[in-house]
């Protein structure tokens, strides 16, 4: 976990370029390789590898992260047309960074084909 870039963001050792939101429990910032005009990542400050590693008691934290995504989407004017929240889980789920994060994507129509999922490019 110590070598994980998102862990370093979470504990404040490194700072992402464009922070969109921060409180005691989470951090939201722009993805370095955006797949849509808006591509924000929301991660917990509590170190959790991913959805598969959630423990009893983490439910509220994840709920707050989802709710923050909704608020950010509204602030950025995405709510009217719609947007996507994605959580990749593990290798086959396409999770590249083993630190829990929600993707918030919007600002253009996104690919609806879940089976051949991409971010719509
Ligand atoms: P995953 O595939 O794990 O669900 O998503 C990882 C995301 O993190 C990718 O969209 C990737 O572009 C983004 N990412 C990886 N390293 C960095 C970084 O150092 N800074 C930022 N802002 N995003 C990163």
């Amino acid at each position: 976990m110590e070598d994980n870039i998102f862990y370093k963001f979470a504990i404040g050792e490194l700072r992402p370029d464009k922070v969109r939101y921060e409180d005691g429990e989470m951090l939201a910032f722009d993805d370095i390789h955006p797949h849509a005009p808006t591509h924000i990542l929301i991660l917990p400050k509590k170190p959790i590898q991913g959805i598969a590693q959630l423990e009893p008691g983490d439910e509220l934290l994840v709920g707050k992260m989802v709710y923050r995504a909704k608020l950010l989407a509204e602030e950025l004017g995405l709510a009217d047309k719609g947007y996507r929240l994605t959580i990749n889980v593990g290798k086959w789920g396409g999770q590249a960074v083993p630190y829990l994060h929600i993707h918030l994507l919007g600002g253009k129509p996104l690919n609806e084909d879940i089976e051949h999922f991409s971010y719509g490019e």
Side-chain angles (χ1 to χ4, degrees):
M1 190 60 99
E2 284 74 24
D3 292 338
N4 188 308
I5 184 94
F6 287 6
Y7 175 73
K8 291 182 178 179
F9 290 157
I11 65 169
E13 188 181 320
L14 290 175
R15 189 80 175 158
D17 279 346
K18 177 92 187 187
V19 172
R20 298 284 188 165
Y21 178 80
E22 181 170 20
D23 65 19
E25 292 184 299
M26 71 187 83
L27 184 65
F29 54 91
D30 283 4
D31 195 293
I32 202 167
H33 298 303
H35 291 267
T38 297
H39 188 169
I40 293 172
L41 303 173
I42 302 161
L43 56 81
K45 291 196 171 172
K46 177 182 176 182
I48 302 172
Q49 261 193 18
I51 288 289
Q53 286 73 33
L54 286 176
E55 294 172 347
D58 291 331
E59 303 93 330
L60 183 58
L61 173 60
V62 176
K64 287 180 181 175
M65 290 167 61
V66 171
Y67 194 74
R68 181 53 52 186
K70 165 215 152 68
L71 294 178
L72 282 168
E74 286 172 0
E75 280 169 27
L76 294 167
L78 304 177
D80 193 32
K81 293 232 162 123
Y83 53 90
R84 177 172 293 158
L85 303 183
T86 304
I87 306 176
N88 297 323
V89 185
K91 201 171 169 189
W92 281 24
Q95 183 178 1
V97 180
Y99 192 105
L100 178 61
H101 52 282
I102 299 174
H103 297 256
L104 164 58
L105 294 135
K108 72 171 187 180
L110 297 165
N111 190 341
E112 291 174 13
D113 185 347
I114 295 293
E115 195 175 340
H116 303 98
F117 183 76
S118 75
Y119 292 115
E121 293 184 329

